[in-house]
Amino acid sequence: ISTVYYLKTLVSLGAILSVLYIILRVSKSYFKHQYTGEMKIIDRLQIDQQAAILIIQVRKENYLMSEANKQVQVIEKLPND
């Protein structure tokens, strides 16, 4: 097998690895941007040591939630202002 064959193989392998690396970088930035900053605690009212009422914003929608004894429940979806 000639030297030209090895050079073509190395160049092809380098091109494939470069494309895979670019795809990896783009997908990481896409998923990082897609799943961050979509949920905020707007307000929290502590009822006692083990219970609280929260207003949570998820993707521009507000929810009234309760937290008690390590359990969280949605009470109601609030209208947007």
Side-chain angles (χ1 to χ4, degrees):
I1 299 177
S2 68
T3 308
V4 175
Y5 175 76
Y6 285 119
L7 287 175
K8 285 182 181 179
T9 304
L10 286 175
V11 168
S12 298
L13 183 61
I16 291 170
L17 290 176
S18 297
V19 168
L20 289 175
Y21 179 75
I22 291 169
I23 290 172
L24 176 69
R25 297 288 287 179
V26 169
S27 66
K28 278 186 178 180
S29 67
Y30 173 74
F31 284 113
K32 184 184 290 186
H33 178 70
Q34 184 179 5
Y35 295 111
T36 57
E38 295 182 353
M39 191 163 68
K40 296 178 190 173
I41 297 177
I42 304 297
D43 199 5
R44 179 186 179 105
L45 176 64
Q46 195 72 33
I47 306 295
D48 63 25
Q49 285 184 336
Q50 296 182 355
I53 302 285
L54 300 102
I55 297 176
I56 307 288
Q57 184 180 49
V58 180
R59 295 183 181 174
K60 313 256 182 198
E61 299 287 336
N62 294 332
Y63 296 92
L64 181 64
M65 302 179 79
S66 67
E67 173 189 21
N69 298 325
K70 299 182 182 179
Q71 294 181 350
V72 178
Q73 294 180 340
V74 176
I75 297 173
E76 175 179 358
K77 181 178 175 183
L78 300 174
N80 290 338
D81 293 333

